[in-house]
Amino acid sequence: MKTITHAYCIDLDRIVTIDEARFEYLSLPSPRPPRFRYLCEYPACQEKQVRVAAVNDDKPIEESNVFKAPHFRRWQQEPHAAGCPWMEDEASPVQEEGESDNDFQRRLARAKLTDFIDRFDPPVPGYDDPTSSTNGDQNTVGAPPKPPHQDRPQASSRPGKHRTSVLDRLVNTYIESGKLLSWEERQRLELQVGGIGTIRLVDYFQSLKRCSLQTRDRVMYGGANLERRYGEGALFHFFDTIAVEGPDGETKPVKVRLYISPKQVVSCRHRHYIKEILENEETPYYRLYAIGSLHYDPRYRTVSLQVEDLRQLSILRAPPNSRKSTST
Ligand SMILES: [Zn+2]
């Protein structure tokens, strides 16, 4: 049967992917409700109050060797309404007339991923577009649930289904593609990026060691150590260095740091989420994905990776043995 990729979240009063739900759940202030509740998104199933279960939607995602991807699953005891698309068998894709071999292979690769993002609109600093990642109002958490499908876009229109400006969601797609696809399949995936155009997913993400001071409009990523906390803020040191030309004309490796100020955290809508991730008792290791810019400070011979807005930064906990494995 098909993998359920979208469900209606009663608490958020909108159709969500599991990643959106997890992101919103962890962004709630403590004490949080025990769990979010979900119904099948198909209107006739919603009418019947057919529940859908969620796995790992209440924990920060970890970039570990065992990728415990959050996902939805069916309740055995809850029969879905006739015609529910989530009860259909997964049809193996067939090459359509006029579809090139390349396009078909690309479609096959995409079909292996749970939530492939077609279009990514990088967050604009200082502007939190409430419709960018979602289908509705974000301020409904904790409000009494409305009856199903009232004042809400119908499932069939699904604006934003494969479109997002939530970096976390795109990062999950990228990580999943690395775990589930072959090298060739992964090279085929393409992404529309607002302000850039069409780009291969693997080119939009750039490992820090392949970046330079000129790198812009890319998701730069690498393993990092949480060096210390500054109140709600934090300073990370990356394991990778980047090459910088010194005054003598010689190129040398320079350490890279990323600092987020307490003010940035406090003013961020997802501060509870960030707090939860940073309070990591087990290991100080993280993997950071950032859309920012690199700045060299010759006084201290360090490079800072600066992000203007915390929505341009995705922080994943990493397992203790992750210090060496900084390339995906
Ligand atoms: Zn259903």
Side-chain angles (χ1 to χ4, degrees):
M1 237 174 285
K2 264 188 192 165
T3 307
I4 299 181
T5 59
H6 292 71
Y8 170 70
C9 177
I10 297 172
D11 303 86
L12 294 168
D13 186 28
R14 65 173 191 261
I15 295 169
V16 289
T17 65
I18 193 81
D19 290 325
E20 277 177 61
R22 186 182 54 83
F23 192 59
E24 294 295 343
Y25 179 80
L26 292 171
S27 299
L28 294 177
S30 303
R32 302 188 188 108
R35 292 291 285 267
F36 277 167
R37 297 157 299 160
Y38 305 91
L39 299 176
C40 178
E41 56 130 12
Y42 184 57
C45 291
Q46 271 186 54
E47 211 78 71
K48 284 178 61 182
Q49 303 277 304
V50 178
R51 290 179 304 157
V52 165
V55 179
N56 289 333
D57 66 329
D58 58 341
K59 298 180 186 74
I61 199 156
E62 288 191 24
E63 178 139 355
S64 62
N65 295 331
V66 191
F67 186 60
K68 292 178 198 132
H71 59 276
F72 292 121
R73 64 177 178 75
R74 287 164 195 79
W75 285 105
Q76 288 297 346
Q77 317 82 334
E78 309 239 338
H80 287 240
C84 173
W86 301 112
M87 295 307 284
E88 288 167 9
D89 282 333
E90 196 85 80
S92 18
V94 179
Q95 188 164 5
E96 284 163 12
E97 231 180 275
E99 186 178 33
S100 72
D101 284 350
N102 251 338
D103 288 349
F104 178 54
Q105 294 299 334
R106 185 174 304 129
R107 198 155 59 83
L108 284 180
R110 287 185 41 153
K112 292 185 183 176
L113 302 175
T114 46
D115 176 30
F116 185 77
I117 309 296
D118 272 329
R119 185 179 166 98
F120 177 65
D121 295 298
V124 179
Y127 175 69
D128 195 358
D129 177 2
T131 60
S132 55
S133 67
T134 60
N135 300 337
D137 185 359
Q138 309 235 359
N139 299 319
T140 50
V141 178
K146 288 182 208 153
H149 50 162
Q150 251 186 22
D151 310 325
R152 205 165 49 68
Q154 286 302 300
S156 57
S157 64
R158 286 182 193 155
K161 185 164 181 196
H162 296 296
R163 177 178 182 157
T164 192
S165 68
V166 175
L167 180 60
D168 252 46
R169 200 175 147 194
L170 183 69
V171 166
N172 288 344
T173 286
Y174 179 71
I175 295 172
E176 197 190 35
S177 72
K179 311 261 176 196
L180 298 183
L181 302 184
S182 69
W183 185 87
E184 289 82 7
E185 286 172 327
R186 202 181 191 208
Q187 303 301 307
R188 291 195 180 102
L189 298 175
E190 286 181 344
L191 179 72
Q192 284 274 338
V193 180
I196 296 182
T198 304
I199 183 171
R200 289 193 311 169
L201 183 70
V202 290
D203 292 334
Y204 190 50
F205 283 79
Q206 206 159 316
S207 159
L208 200 60
K209 54 191 165 204
R210 291 198 295 126
C211 294
S212 72
L213 295 178
Q214 285 72 42
T215 304
R216 293 289 182 277
D217 299 325
R218 291 292 179 275
V219 181
M220 297 182 256
Y221 68 89
N225 189 34
L226 176 57
E227 198 66 17
R228 60 174 290 194
R229 299 293 307 273
Y230 293 88
E232 304 271 287
L235 173 68
F236 295 94
H237 281 178
F238 285 96
F239 302 136
D240 290 324
T241 55
I242 70 165
V244 176
E245 194 179 315
D248 52 1
E250 217 179 302
T251 302
K252 286 190 181 134
V254 174
K255 285 187 172 168
V256 186
R257 41 182 266 161
L258 187 146
Y259 171 67
I260 52 177
S261 70
K263 198 175 153 210
Q264 271 182 306
V265 176
V266 170
S267 62
C268 170
R269 190 168 75 83
H270 297 293
R271 60 189 173 278
H272 300 290
Y273 179 70
I274 291 170
K275 230 175 120 181
E276 165 96 25
I277 294 175
L278 294 182
E279 277 161 15
N280 185 359
E281 311 267 289
E282 288 163 37
T283 148
Y285 299 134
Y286 289 86
R287 202 159 160 90
L288 308 180
Y289 294 80
I291 304 170
S293 49
L294 292 160
H295 301 269
Y296 178 53
D297 185 339
R299 281 174 305 167
Y300 302 106
R301 280 199 54 77
T302 56
V303 169
S304 292
L305 174 47
Q306 293 176 6
V307 290
E308 281 184 66
D309 189 305
L310 290 189
R311 289 170 306 138
Q312 296 171 324
L313 175 67
S314 186
I315 307 171
L316 269 68
R317 288 179 184 169
N321 60 356
S322 62
R323 206 185 180 299
K324 293 282 169 216
S325 58
T326 53
S327 58
T328 297

